[in-house]
Amino acid sequence: MSNVKIGVSMLYNLGESFNRVVKRLGDEGTQYIEFLDDGAHELNKNRVNLLREAAKSYDLEYTVHAPFADINIASPSRIILAAALKRLTKSLYRAHDLDAKLWVLHPGAKTGISQFYSGAEWKQNLQSIQELYDEAEQLGVNIAIENLPAKYWFTMNSPEDFHKFYKETNLPIGIVLDIGHAHLENQIQPFFDQFADKIVHIHASDNNGVNDDHLGVGYGTLDYDWFAKTLKKINYSHRVVVESCDHVSESLQKLRVLLN
């Protein structure tokens, strides 16, 4: 029997009202819920209390995905950077209040002027992560960094980027392996080969290797049979969170069959 915990991200119903989503949490088919602290679901103290009540009622465990809309922790603008870090710090506090098992962070991204300041976005990315890690450590919140596709200008998308990150920071931060993102870069196997011990959380969706479509499991070209065999081979025992925007219940069931 596998020890993998199969959960679901609330990304797929981000456009629905917060209260309506909370009332349906017990019907998601899993106790492992990832809440996206963004858009219509931005967390505050009242919403955290509602989620805590739902957790008691349905025996739920949460992870929190940090906000990412208009957020860039590598921004060259001091004003925008300060606003982004303030927003992320608020999210960290809400994750703490929610007793979240993990806080998922996106790395920084290049901008239209990055070509004029070679390496500046990488340096700022590291500095911002250090600041957020220090805050999280004081709060007792576990954080991990997600791989993002290079085609969308993000700074950490390949195993080489993560090797560089660990070499330059030595921070004990795990990796959230988004296999949909890694599929776009043909990097799924390299991540598992090189960072099996660092991967503490997985986002699962599907695509056709071109765009980050967040398709249901089995509706793209990602090899989920290989994925399941690999998780068993490395004795992965953390969460695999369905981050599809369609066929969500079906995706949960497929992963249960593959991973158990």
Side-chain angles (χ1 to χ4, degrees), residues 214-229:
H214 288 270
L215 302 176
V217 171
Y219 286 86
T221 56
L222 203 151
D223 187 347
Y224 269 95
D225 288 328
W226 177 90
F227 169 70
K229 291 176 183 177

Side-chain angles (χ1 to χ4, degrees), residues 115-218:
Q115 61 180 314
F116 300 106
Y117 307 99
S118 180
E121 75 284 342
W122 178 260
K123 182 179 180 181
Q124 184 57 63
N125 179 61
L126 298 190
Q127 183 177 328
S128 295
I129 293 172
Q130 179 71 65
E131 291 180 21
L132 292 167
Y133 172 78
D134 291 343
E135 193 74 44
E137 191 173 35
Q138 288 194 13
L139 290 170
V141 176
N142 293 318
I143 74 172
I145 302 173
E146 182 176 349
N147 61 301
L148 273 289
K151 68 181 296 180
Y152 300 133
W153 289 26
F154 284 95
T155 58
M156 298 177 68
N157 48 77
S158 68
E160 290 73 24
D161 294 329
F162 280 86
H163 278 299
K164 183 180 179 183
F165 168 78
Y166 288 120
K167 181 178 179 180
E168 296 182 11
T169 68
N170 201 34
L171 288 173
I173 294 177
I175 296 172
V176 176
L177 180 60
D178 187 305
I179 57 175
H181 295 165
H183 186 46
L184 298 179
E185 305 290 331
N186 294 312
Q187 296 285 351
I188 298 179
Q189 183 167 346
F191 266 109
F192 279 118
D193 288 346
Q194 299 175 45
F195 288 110
D197 61 329
K198 293 282 191 182
I199 299 170
V200 298
H201 196 74
I202 293 175
H203 284 163
S205 64
D206 215 333
N207 60 64
N208 292 309
V210 180
N211 295 309
D212 188 23
D213 300 311
H214 288 270
L215 302 176
V217 171

Side-chain angles (χ1 to χ4, degrees), residues 57-74:
S57 298
Y58 306 120
D59 190 27
L60 305 176
E61 290 186 10
Y62 296 117
T63 54
V64 172
H65 196 306
F68 58 81
D70 298 322
I71 299 288
N72 182 7
I73 63 171

Side-chain angles (χ1 to χ4, degrees), residues 42-84:
E42 180 176 342
L43 296 176
N44 55 37
K45 291 184 178 181
N46 289 334
R47 288 178 167 184
V48 165
N49 288 335
L50 289 174
L51 287 172
R52 288 179 67 90
E53 290 175 10
K56 292 178 182 178
S57 298
Y58 306 120
D59 190 27
L60 305 176
E61 290 186 10
Y62 296 117
T63 54
V64 172
H65 196 306
F68 58 81
D70 298 322
I71 299 288
N72 182 7
I73 63 171
S75 175
S77 166
R78 296 294 97 186
I79 295 175
I80 293 175
L81 179 64

Side-chain angles (χ1 to χ4, degrees), residues 5 32 61 63 101 200-202 236-241:
K5 302 171 180 67
Y32 305 109
E61 290 186 10
T63 54
K101 304 304 179 183
V200 298
H201 196 74
I202 293 175
Y236 182 82
S237 60
H238 305 289
R239 287 171 177 75
V240 174
V241 173

Side-chain angles (χ1 to χ4, degrees), residues 76-110:
S77 166
R78 296 294 97 186
I79 295 175
I80 293 175
L81 179 64
L85 291 174
K86 181 177 180 180
R87 174 69 182 91
L88 290 169
T89 299
K90 177 184 177 184
S91 180
L92 268 174
Y93 274 82
R94 297 292 83 83
H96 168 266
D97 295 341
L98 195 54
D99 193 27
K101 304 304 179 183
L102 188 72
W103 187 70
V104 178
L105 174 66
H106 279 190
K110 295 181 180 181

